[in-house]
Amino acid sequence: MKKVRVALIGGGLRGVNYLDYALQHPHELEVVAVAEPVAERRNGFKEKHGIADDMCFEHWDEFFAVPKLADAVLICTQDKQHFEPTMKALEAGYHVLLEKPMSSDARECILMGEKASQMNRVFSICHVLRYTNFFSTIRELLQRETIGQLMSIQHNENVGYWHQAHSFVRGNWRRKDESSPMILAKSCHDLDILLWLADAECVRVSSFGSLSYFKADQAPEGAPLRCLDGCPVSDECLYYAPKQYLTSDTNWPTSAISDDLSYEARYKALQEGPYGRCVYHCDNDVVDHQVVNLEFANSVTAAFTMSAFTRDVSRTLKLMGTKGEIRGAMEKNEIEIIHFGSGKVERISFEDMGGHVGHGGGDMGLIKDFLRLVREDGKSQGLTSAHHSVQSHLMAFAAEQSRMDGNSIHLQDFAQQLSMPVET
Protein backbone atom coordinates (compact mmCIF):
# COMPACT_ATOMS: atom_id res chain seq x y z
CA MET A 1 0.00 0.00 0.00
CA LYS A 2 1.44 3.34 -1.05
CA LYS A 3 2.05 5.70 1.86
CA VAL A 4 0.34 9.05 1.23
CA ARG A 5 2.22 12.23 2.17
CA VAL A 6 0.09 15.14 3.35
CA ALA A 7 0.49 18.68 4.64
CA LEU A 8 -1.82 20.47 7.06
CA ILE A 9 -2.92 24.07 6.51
CA GLY A 10 -4.53 25.33 9.70
CA GLY A 11 -3.38 23.63 12.89
CA GLY A 12 -6.56 23.92 14.95
CA LEU A 13 -8.44 21.11 16.66
CA ARG A 14 -10.13 19.69 13.56
CA GLY A 15 -6.93 19.27 11.58
CA VAL A 16 -5.04 17.90 14.56
CA ASN A 17 -7.78 15.36 15.24
CA TYR A 18 -8.02 14.19 11.63
CA LEU A 19 -4.30 13.61 11.40
CA ASP A 20 -4.17 11.44 14.48
CA TYR A 21 -4.84 8.83 11.80
CA ALA A 22 -1.16 9.16 10.80
CA LEU A 23 -0.07 8.27 14.33
CA GLN A 24 -2.32 5.22 14.37
CA HIS A 25 -1.51 4.08 10.80
CA PRO A 26 2.02 5.29 10.02
CA HIS A 27 2.34 2.80 7.16
CA GLU A 28 -0.57 4.51 5.36
CA LEU A 29 -0.12 8.22 6.06
CA GLU A 30 2.78 10.56 6.78
CA VAL A 31 2.42 14.22 7.71
CA VAL A 32 5.35 16.09 6.17
CA ALA A 33 4.50 19.80 6.56
CA VAL A 34 2.31 22.28 8.42
CA ALA A 35 1.28 25.90 7.86
CA GLU A 36 -0.12 27.55 10.99
CA PRO A 37 0.29 31.19 12.16
CA VAL A 38 0.11 30.47 15.91
CA ALA A 39 3.62 29.41 16.96
CA GLU A 40 2.48 27.26 19.91
CA ARG A 41 0.13 25.25 17.71
CA ARG A 42 2.64 24.96 14.90
CA ASN A 43 5.39 23.76 17.21
CA GLY A 44 3.10 21.37 19.06
CA PHE A 45 1.98 19.78 15.79
CA LYS A 46 5.60 19.64 14.57
CA GLU A 47 6.67 17.73 17.68
CA LYS A 48 3.68 15.40 17.54
CA HIS A 49 4.41 14.29 13.97
CA GLY A 50 8.19 14.72 13.85
CA ILE A 51 8.10 17.35 11.10
CA ALA A 52 11.38 18.95 10.01
CA ASP A 53 11.97 22.62 10.86
CA ASP A 54 12.13 23.68 7.21
CA MET A 55 8.72 22.07 6.60
CA CYS A 56 6.93 24.29 9.13
CA PHE A 57 5.43 27.51 7.77
CA GLU A 58 3.73 30.48 9.37
CA HIS A 59 1.46 31.18 6.39
CA TRP A 60 0.15 29.11 3.51
CA ASP A 61 1.77 31.55 1.04
CA GLU A 62 5.17 30.38 2.29
CA PHE A 63 4.11 26.76 1.84
CA PHE A 64 2.91 27.29 -1.74
CA ALA A 65 6.03 29.29 -2.61
CA VAL A 66 8.19 26.15 -2.53
CA PRO A 67 8.03 23.15 -4.90
CA LYS A 68 5.30 20.58 -4.28
CA LEU A 69 5.99 18.84 -0.95
CA ALA A 70 3.24 16.25 -0.65
CA ASP A 71 0.50 14.34 -2.41
CA ALA A 72 -2.33 16.17 -0.70
CA VAL A 73 -3.23 18.95 1.72
CA LEU A 74 -5.81 19.14 4.48
CA ILE A 75 -7.22 22.65 4.76
CA CYS A 76 -8.67 23.26 8.20
CA THR A 77 -8.56 27.04 8.48
CA GLN A 78 -11.48 29.23 9.58
CA ASP A 79 -14.50 29.34 7.24
CA LYS A 80 -13.61 32.58 5.48
CA GLN A 81 -10.04 31.37 4.91
CA HIS A 82 -10.98 28.31 2.85
CA PHE A 83 -11.15 29.70 -0.66
CA GLU A 84 -7.67 31.14 -1.21
CA PRO A 85 -5.56 28.19 0.02
CA THR A 86 -7.88 25.70 -1.70
CA MET A 87 -7.51 27.40 -5.07
CA LYS A 88 -3.74 27.64 -4.63
CA ALA A 89 -3.50 23.99 -3.62
CA LEU A 90 -5.51 22.77 -6.60
CA GLU A 91 -3.51 24.99 -8.96
CA ALA A 92 -0.29 23.54 -7.53
CA GLY A 93 -1.48 20.01 -8.24
CA TYR A 94 -2.38 18.89 -4.71
CA HIS A 95 -5.36 16.72 -3.89
CA VAL A 96 -7.44 18.54 -1.26
CA LEU A 97 -9.50 17.59 1.77
CA LEU A 98 -11.36 20.71 2.95
CA GLU A 99 -13.06 21.23 6.29
CA LYS A 100 -16.74 22.11 6.06
CA PRO A 101 -18.29 24.43 5.14
CA MET A 102 -16.63 24.84 1.76
CA SER A 103 -17.01 28.61 1.99
CA SER A 104 -19.28 31.26 3.45
CA ASP A 105 -19.79 32.50 -0.14
CA ALA A 106 -21.92 30.39 -2.49
CA ARG A 107 -20.05 31.50 -5.60
CA GLU A 108 -16.73 30.45 -4.10
CA CYS A 109 -18.11 26.95 -3.53
CA ILE A 110 -18.77 26.42 -7.22
CA LEU A 111 -15.47 28.02 -8.28
CA MET A 112 -13.51 25.61 -6.11
CA GLY A 113 -15.42 22.67 -7.55
CA GLU A 114 -14.75 23.84 -11.08
CA LYS A 115 -11.04 24.26 -10.36
CA ALA A 116 -10.81 20.70 -8.99
CA SER A 117 -12.42 19.36 -12.18
CA GLN A 118 -10.07 21.40 -14.37
CA MET A 119 -7.01 20.12 -12.52
CA ASN A 120 -8.37 16.54 -12.25
CA ARG A 121 -7.69 16.53 -8.52
CA VAL A 122 -9.53 14.84 -5.68
CA PHE A 123 -11.49 17.51 -3.82
CA SER A 124 -13.36 16.12 -0.82
CA ILE A 125 -15.34 17.99 1.82
CA CYS A 126 -15.34 16.86 5.46
CA HIS A 127 -18.97 15.70 5.57
CA VAL A 128 -17.99 13.02 8.04
CA LEU A 129 -21.52 11.79 8.84
CA ARG A 130 -21.72 9.90 5.55
CA TYR A 131 -18.88 7.72 6.80
CA THR A 132 -20.51 6.68 10.08
CA ASN A 133 -21.95 3.20 10.58
CA PHE A 134 -25.10 4.90 11.82
CA PHE A 135 -26.00 6.91 8.72
CA SER A 136 -24.58 4.46 6.18
CA THR A 137 -26.81 1.75 7.70
CA ILE A 138 -29.88 3.97 7.45
CA ARG A 139 -29.03 4.72 3.81
CA GLU A 140 -28.73 0.98 3.10
CA LEU A 141 -32.06 0.26 4.80
CA LEU A 142 -33.74 2.90 2.61
CA GLN A 143 -32.16 1.55 -0.57
CA ARG A 144 -33.43 -1.94 0.30
CA GLU A 145 -36.91 -0.39 0.78
CA THR A 146 -37.06 -1.83 4.29
CA ILE A 147 -39.82 0.67 5.13
CA GLY A 148 -41.21 0.83 1.61
CA GLN A 149 -41.07 4.15 -0.21
CA LEU A 150 -39.60 6.95 1.89
CA MET A 151 -42.09 9.81 2.33
CA SER A 152 -40.77 12.16 5.01
CA ILE A 153 -37.93 12.77 7.46
CA GLN A 154 -37.79 14.51 10.82
CA HIS A 155 -34.24 15.32 11.88
CA ASN A 156 -33.05 17.14 14.99
CA GLU A 157 -29.62 18.55 15.65
CA ASN A 158 -29.50 19.03 19.40
CA VAL A 159 -26.67 21.54 19.75
CA GLY A 160 -26.52 21.52 23.55
CA TYR A 161 -26.84 24.63 25.72
CA TRP A 162 -23.17 24.60 26.77
CA HIS A 163 -21.89 23.91 23.24
CA GLN A 164 -23.90 26.84 21.91
CA ALA A 165 -22.37 29.09 24.56
CA HIS A 166 -18.84 27.87 23.84
CA SER A 167 -18.77 27.87 20.03
CA PHE A 168 -21.60 30.10 18.87
CA VAL A 169 -21.86 32.79 21.56
CA ARG A 170 -18.31 33.22 22.88
CA GLY A 171 -16.38 31.31 20.22
CA ASN A 172 -15.14 31.52 16.64
CA TRP A 173 -18.51 30.87 15.00
CA ARG A 174 -20.53 33.51 16.87
CA ARG A 175 -20.82 36.03 14.00
CA LYS A 176 -21.95 35.62 10.42
CA ASP A 177 -19.53 38.25 9.13
CA GLU A 178 -16.53 36.48 10.70
CA SER A 179 -17.47 32.87 9.90
CA SER A 180 -20.80 31.71 8.41
CA PRO A 181 -24.52 31.63 9.23
CA MET A 182 -25.08 28.96 11.86
CA ILE A 183 -27.17 26.83 9.49
CA LEU A 184 -24.03 26.57 7.34
CA ALA A 185 -21.32 26.47 10.01
CA LYS A 186 -23.07 23.96 12.29
CA SER A 187 -25.64 22.19 10.16
CA CYS A 188 -24.25 21.76 6.64
CA HIS A 189 -23.47 18.21 7.87
CA ASP A 190 -27.16 17.67 8.52
CA LEU A 191 -28.44 19.18 5.28
CA ASP A 192 -25.92 17.04 3.42
CA ILE A 193 -27.22 13.91 5.18
CA LEU A 194 -30.83 14.83 4.39
CA LEU A 195 -29.93 15.25 0.71
CA TRP A 196 -28.15 11.86 0.77
CA LEU A 197 -31.02 10.04 2.49
CA ALA A 198 -33.75 11.65 0.36
CA ASP A 199 -31.74 10.59 -2.72
CA ALA A 200 -33.12 13.34 -4.98
CA GLU A 201 -32.50 16.99 -5.78
CA CYS A 202 -33.85 19.52 -3.32
CA VAL A 203 -36.40 21.77 -5.06
CA ARG A 204 -37.80 24.07 -2.35
CA VAL A 205 -36.65 25.46 1.01
CA SER A 206 -38.26 27.54 3.76
CA SER A 207 -36.85 28.43 7.16
CA PHE A 208 -37.60 30.28 10.39
CA GLY A 209 -35.42 31.08 13.38
CA SER A 210 -33.73 33.80 15.39
CA LEU A 211 -31.31 34.76 18.14
CA SER A 212 -33.72 34.99 21.05
CA TYR A 213 -31.89 34.20 24.27
CA PHE A 214 -28.15 34.86 24.19
CA LYS A 215 -28.44 38.66 24.10
CA ALA A 216 -28.33 41.63 26.45
CA ASP A 217 -32.05 41.90 27.24
CA GLN A 218 -31.91 38.40 28.78
CA ALA A 219 -29.00 39.20 31.13
CA PRO A 220 -29.60 38.85 34.88
CA GLU A 221 -29.68 42.15 36.73
CA GLY A 222 -26.18 43.36 37.53
CA ALA A 223 -24.41 40.81 35.32
CA PRO A 224 -20.98 42.25 34.34
CA LEU A 225 -19.40 42.02 30.91
CA ARG A 226 -17.03 39.29 32.10
CA CYS A 227 -17.79 36.39 34.43
CA LEU A 228 -14.78 37.04 36.69
CA ASP A 229 -15.76 40.67 37.29
CA GLY A 230 -17.99 39.89 40.28
CA CYS A 231 -21.09 38.28 38.78
CA PRO A 232 -23.98 38.39 41.32
CA VAL A 233 -25.59 35.21 39.91
CA SER A 234 -22.44 33.10 39.50
CA ASP A 235 -23.75 30.29 41.71
CA GLU A 236 -26.88 29.65 39.67
CA CYS A 237 -25.83 30.74 36.16
CA LEU A 238 -25.52 27.79 33.78
CA TYR A 239 -22.94 29.67 31.74
CA TYR A 240 -20.59 30.99 34.45
CA ALA A 241 -17.25 30.52 32.67
CA PRO A 242 -15.18 29.08 35.59
CA LYS A 243 -17.70 26.22 35.93
CA GLN A 244 -16.84 25.19 32.39
CA TYR A 245 -13.18 26.06 31.98
CA LEU A 246 -11.49 25.98 35.41
CA THR A 247 -12.12 22.35 36.33
CA SER A 248 -9.76 19.38 36.32
CA ASP A 249 -11.08 18.36 32.87
CA THR A 250 -8.89 20.03 30.24
CA ASN A 251 -10.29 18.16 27.25
CA TRP A 252 -12.37 19.98 24.63
CA PRO A 253 -13.96 22.51 24.96
CA THR A 254 -11.58 23.72 27.68
CA SER A 255 -8.61 22.90 25.43
CA ALA A 256 -9.84 25.52 22.97
CA ILE A 257 -9.47 28.52 25.26
CA SER A 258 -5.67 28.41 25.68
CA ASP A 259 -2.71 26.55 24.21
CA ASP A 260 -1.27 26.48 27.75
CA LEU A 261 -3.72 24.44 29.85
CA SER A 262 -2.29 25.27 33.26
CA TYR A 263 -4.81 26.69 35.72
CA GLU A 264 -3.03 30.05 35.69
CA ALA A 265 -3.09 30.31 31.90
CA ARG A 266 -6.75 29.34 31.73
CA TYR A 267 -7.64 31.87 34.43
CA LYS A 268 -5.83 34.56 32.47
CA ALA A 269 -7.67 33.49 29.31
CA LEU A 270 -10.98 34.05 31.08
CA GLN A 271 -9.83 37.46 32.29
CA GLU A 272 -8.71 38.62 28.86
CA GLY A 273 -10.02 36.33 26.13
CA PRO A 274 -13.42 35.72 24.51
CA TYR A 275 -14.37 32.69 26.60
CA GLY A 276 -14.55 34.69 29.83
CA ARG A 277 -17.32 36.95 28.56
CA CYS A 278 -20.86 36.87 29.91
CA VAL A 279 -22.96 35.00 27.35
CA TYR A 280 -25.54 37.80 27.48
CA HIS A 281 -22.97 40.49 26.70
CA CYS A 282 -21.11 39.08 23.69
CA ASP A 283 -21.05 40.35 20.11
CA ASN A 284 -22.73 37.21 18.72
CA ASP A 285 -25.41 37.44 16.03
CA VAL A 286 -26.00 33.84 14.82
CA VAL A 287 -29.31 32.17 15.66
CA ASP A 288 -29.84 30.01 18.72
CA HIS A 289 -32.72 28.03 17.16
CA GLN A 290 -33.87 27.43 13.59
CA VAL A 291 -36.17 25.15 11.60
CA VAL A 292 -35.78 24.29 7.92
CA ASN A 293 -38.43 22.68 5.71
CA LEU A 294 -37.26 20.91 2.56
CA GLU A 295 -39.03 19.45 -0.48
CA PHE A 296 -37.23 17.06 -2.83
CA ALA A 297 -37.87 16.20 -6.48
CA ASN A 298 -39.17 12.70 -5.55
CA SER A 299 -41.83 14.24 -3.23
CA VAL A 300 -39.92 13.39 -0.06
CA THR A 301 -40.24 16.14 2.55
CA ALA A 302 -37.95 16.86 5.47
CA ALA A 303 -38.28 18.94 8.61
CA PHE A 304 -34.98 19.86 10.25
CA THR A 305 -34.69 21.49 13.67
CA MET A 306 -31.50 22.91 15.13
CA SER A 307 -31.71 24.10 18.72
CA ALA A 308 -29.29 25.30 21.37
CA PHE A 309 -31.78 24.45 24.10
CA THR A 310 -30.99 20.80 24.70
CA ARG A 311 -29.03 19.04 27.40
CA ASP A 312 -27.23 16.59 25.15
CA VAL A 313 -25.20 17.22 22.01
CA SER A 314 -26.83 14.70 19.72
CA ARG A 315 -28.61 13.91 16.48
CA THR A 316 -31.97 12.14 16.44
CA LEU A 317 -34.24 11.38 13.51
CA LYS A 318 -37.32 9.56 12.27
CA LEU A 319 -37.83 8.42 8.69
CA MET A 320 -41.38 7.59 7.63
CA GLY A 321 -42.11 5.24 4.75
CA THR A 322 -45.12 3.54 3.20
CA LYS A 323 -44.46 0.27 5.05
CA GLY A 324 -42.78 1.36 8.25
CA GLU A 325 -40.63 3.80 10.20
CA ILE A 326 -36.96 4.08 11.10
CA ARG A 327 -36.03 5.86 14.31
CA GLY A 328 -32.46 6.60 15.22
CA ALA A 329 -30.29 8.19 17.90
CA MET A 330 -26.75 8.62 16.63
CA GLU A 331 -24.97 9.17 19.93
CA LYS A 332 -26.70 6.14 21.43
CA ASN A 333 -25.64 4.02 18.42
CA GLU A 334 -29.23 2.80 18.07
CA ILE A 335 -31.57 2.31 15.11
CA GLU A 336 -35.12 1.01 15.46
CA ILE A 337 -37.20 -0.30 12.54
CA ILE A 338 -40.96 -0.45 13.04
CA HIS A 339 -42.95 -2.48 10.48
CA PHE A 340 -46.58 -1.59 9.76
CA GLY A 341 -49.21 -4.33 9.94
CA SER A 342 -47.22 -7.00 11.74
CA GLY A 343 -46.03 -4.58 14.40
CA LYS A 344 -42.61 -6.20 14.24
CA VAL A 345 -39.82 -4.09 15.73
CA GLU A 346 -36.16 -4.62 14.82
CA ARG A 347 -33.30 -2.99 16.66
CA ILE A 348 -29.77 -2.40 15.43
CA SER A 349 -27.04 -1.41 17.87
CA PHE A 350 -23.47 -0.48 17.07
CA GLU A 351 -20.38 -0.90 19.15
CA ASP A 352 -19.69 2.21 21.21
CA MET A 353 -16.97 4.07 19.31
CA GLY A 354 -15.83 5.84 22.46
CA GLY A 355 -15.68 9.57 23.12
CA HIS A 356 -12.22 9.88 21.54
CA VAL A 357 -13.46 8.81 18.10
CA GLY A 358 -14.86 11.83 16.28
CA HIS A 359 -18.43 11.87 14.93
CA GLY A 360 -19.18 8.22 15.61
CA GLY A 361 -16.12 7.02 13.70
CA GLY A 362 -16.86 9.26 10.73
CA ASP A 363 -13.66 11.29 11.07
CA MET A 364 -11.40 8.29 10.60
CA GLY A 365 -13.66 6.82 7.91
CA LEU A 366 -13.34 10.07 5.97
CA ILE A 367 -9.54 10.06 6.16
CA LYS A 368 -9.31 6.40 5.17
CA ASP A 369 -11.45 6.98 2.08
CA PHE A 370 -9.58 10.17 1.14
CA LEU A 371 -6.29 8.24 1.20
CA ARG A 372 -7.81 5.64 -1.14
CA LEU A 373 -8.87 8.37 -3.58
CA VAL A 374 -5.42 9.97 -3.48
CA ARG A 375 -3.75 6.62 -4.20
CA GLU A 376 -6.00 6.34 -7.25
CA ASP A 377 -4.75 9.82 -8.25
CA GLY A 378 -8.15 11.33 -8.95
CA LYS A 379 -9.55 8.47 -11.02
CA SER A 380 -12.70 8.52 -8.88
CA GLN A 381 -14.47 10.85 -6.47
CA GLY A 382 -15.70 9.85 -3.02
CA LEU A 383 -18.94 10.19 -1.08
CA THR A 384 -18.21 13.79 -0.15
CA SER A 385 -16.73 15.26 -3.31
CA ALA A 386 -17.47 18.87 -4.17
CA HIS A 387 -19.81 17.55 -6.86
CA HIS A 388 -22.06 16.15 -4.12
CA SER A 389 -21.47 18.95 -1.65
CA VAL A 390 -22.42 22.01 -3.67
CA GLN A 391 -26.17 21.41 -3.53
CA SER A 392 -26.27 20.82 0.22
CA HIS A 393 -24.35 24.07 0.65
CA LEU A 394 -26.88 25.83 -1.58
CA MET A 395 -29.64 24.40 0.60
CA ALA A 396 -28.01 26.08 3.61
CA PHE A 397 -27.56 29.41 1.81
CA ALA A 398 -31.19 29.27 0.66
CA ALA A 399 -32.40 28.44 4.17
CA GLU A 400 -30.62 31.47 5.59
CA GLN A 401 -32.08 33.68 2.86
CA SER A 402 -35.56 32.33 3.59
CA ARG A 403 -35.09 32.91 7.33
CA MET A 404 -34.15 36.53 6.73
CA ASP A 405 -36.80 37.51 4.16
CA GLY A 406 -39.63 35.13 5.10
CA ASN A 407 -40.09 33.65 1.62
CA SER A 408 -40.10 30.06 0.41
CA ILE A 409 -37.20 29.62 -2.03
CA HIS A 410 -37.10 27.49 -5.16
CA LEU A 411 -33.57 26.16 -5.24
CA GLN A 412 -33.27 26.19 -9.04
CA ASP A 413 -34.20 29.88 -9.14
CA PHE A 414 -31.83 30.59 -6.27
CA ALA A 415 -28.98 28.86 -8.11
CA GLN A 416 -29.73 30.69 -11.33
CA GLN A 417 -29.58 34.01 -9.51
CA LEU A 418 -26.08 33.01 -8.46
CA SER A 419 -25.30 32.12 -12.09
CA MET A 420 -24.49 28.55 -11.22
CA PRO A 421 -26.16 25.22 -12.04
CA VAL A 422 -27.59 22.98 -9.33
CA GLU A 423 -25.52 19.80 -9.11
CA THR A 424 -26.10 16.58 -7.17
Side-chain angles (χ1 to χ4, degrees):
M1 182 182 293
K2 177 189 173 185
K3 181 187 289 190
V4 175
R5 291 160 55 88
V6 305
L8 175 64
I9 297 177
L13 292 174
R14 295 305 297 144
V16 170
N17 289 345
Y18 287 136
L19 289 177
D20 277 349
Y21 190 97
L23 303 177
Q24 300 163 13
H25 307 277
H27 59 291
E28 295 183 37
L29 175 62
E30 180 183 4
V31 184
V32 299
V34 60
E36 163 58 48
V38 179
E40 292 84 357
R41 293 179 182 175
R42 185 172 65 249
N43 292 332
F45 190 77
K46 166 195 163 185
E47 295 298 325
K48 190 172 188 178
H49 289 274
I51 301 171
D53 289 344
D54 61 352
M55 301 287 266
C56 298
F57 304 90
E58 186 173 349
H59 194 274
W60 63 69
D61 283 341
E62 300 170 4
F63 170 79
F64 291 118
V66 301
K68 191 165 178 272
L69 298 175
D71 303 301
V73 295
L74 272 67
I75 298 176
C76 299
T77 52
Q78 290 297 308
D79 298 356
K80 289 187 177 294
Q81 297 174 331
H82 284 179
F83 180 70
E84 182 182 336
T86 296
M87 295 296 275
K88 288 187 174 184
L90 293 170
E91 187 66 40
Y94 289 99
H95 300 293
V96 175
L97 179 61
L98 176 64
E99 181 56 271
K100 61 83 184 171
M102 294 175 68
S103 171
S104 56
D105 184 303
R107 290 178 178 85
E108 289 183 352
C109 294
I110 196 68
L111 288 173
M112 288 187 284
E114 288 176 347
K115 175 61 74 172
S117 296
Q118 291 167 8
M119 301 302 296
N120 193 29
R121 297 292 82 186
V122 175
F123 181 30
S124 294
I125 315 304
C126 294
H127 286 309
V128 294
L129 297 187
R130 291 195 185 205
Y131 291 96
T132 62
N133 287 336
F134 179 81
F135 280 110
S136 61
T137 298
I138 291 175
R139 164 90 168 178
E140 183 181 350
L141 291 170
L142 293 175
Q143 291 183 318
R144 296 202 324 246
E145 297 188 349
T146 303
I147 59 170
Q149 181 181 347
L150 177 65
M151 301 303 290
S152 56
I153 308 171
Q154 292 179 353
H155 179 50
N156 282 19
E157 181 172 19
N158 309 301
V159 178
Y161 68 98
W162 59 268
H163 187 194
Q164 180 82 20
H166 172 78
S167 296
F168 304 100
V169 178
R170 292 170 168 142
N172 292 331
W173 296 273
R174 69 191 183 279
R175 293 185 59 84
K176 287 173 58 174
D177 60 351
E178 293 183 5
S179 59
S180 304
M182 188 159 173
I183 195 65
L184 185 67
K186 186 71 178 79
S187 299
C188 65
H189 275 326
D190 302 274
L191 297 181
D192 177 73
I193 279 294
L194 289 171
L195 179 66
W196 194 46
L197 296 180
D199 201 22
E201 290 186 1
C202 180
V203 296
R204 190 161 48 160
V205 178
S206 65
S207 183
F208 310 91
S210 62
L211 171 61
S212 300
Y213 184 67
F214 294 99
K215 55 185 186 176
D217 63 9
Q218 298 292 324
E221 185 176 352
L225 297 181
R226 306 188 74 86
C227 291
L228 290 174
D229 290 345
C231 180
V233 295
S234 60
D235 288 345
E236 59 262 35
C237 181
L238 293 172
Y239 306 100
Y240 184 57
K243 291 180 182 177
Q244 176 68 72
Y245 303 114
L246 297 183
T247 71
S248 59
D249 184 356
T250 57
N251 293 316
W252 187 89
T254 298
S255 59
I257 75 168
S258 173
D259 292 312
D260 179 352
L261 293 178
S262 68
Y263 183 91
E264 293 75 18
R266 286 182 283 143
Y267 191 91
K268 183 177 181 182
L270 297 190
Q271 287 180 312
E272 302 174 358
Y275 296 98
R277 294 180 296 177
C278 171
V279 295
Y280 306 104
H281 292 306
C282 291
D283 60 343
N284 56 304
D285 64 6
V286 300
V287 302
D288 51 27
H289 64 296
Q290 186 170 355
V291 296
V292 181
N293 298 313
L294 304 161
E295 181 183 15
F296 296 90
N298 57 1
S299 297
V300 170
T301 57
F304 171 63
T305 298
M306 172 187 67
S307 178
F309 306 105
T310 64
R311 183 192 65 179
D312 297 328
V313 178
S314 64
R315 288 179 167 94
T316 54
L317 73 163
K318 181 167 75 169
L319 302 100
M320 293 154 277
T322 55
K323 296 181 179 179
E325 301 175 26
I326 297 173
R327 299 177 183 178
M330 179 181 168
E331 281 65 29
K332 293 181 179 179
N333 297 299
E334 294 175 354
I335 295 173
E336 185 177 68
I337 308 162
I338 303 168
H339 297 271
F340 296 163
S342 68
K344 179 183 177 182
V345 178
E346 299 177 68
R347 291 180 175 85
I348 302 172
S349 297
F350 303 101
E351 181 182 355
D352 187 358
M353 301 300 294
H356 64 288
V357 180
H359 295 101
D363 286 5
M364 295 301 101
L366 169 77
I367 297 297
K368 187 181 178 84
D369 193 50
F370 180 69
L371 298 181
R372 175 186 65 82
L373 297 171
V374 171
R375 290 189 194 100
E376 296 174 357
D377 199 31
K379 291 183 175 62
S380 63
Q381 297 292 322
L383 282 178
T384 62
S385 70
H387 177 75
H388 296 301
S389 189
V390 167
Q391 184 174 161
S392 63
H393 277 68
L394 283 181
M395 289 158 58
F397 288 117
E400 182 65 6
Q401 185 64 46
S402 174
R403 183 188 73 82
M404 292 189 299
D405 64 24
N407 295 324
S408 177
I409 293 180
H410 289 266
L411 204 63
Q412 187 67 49
D413 294 342
F414 184 73
Q416 288 174 350
Q417 291 169 6
L418 295 167
S419 300
M420 60 177 72
V422 173
E423 298 187 11
T424 58

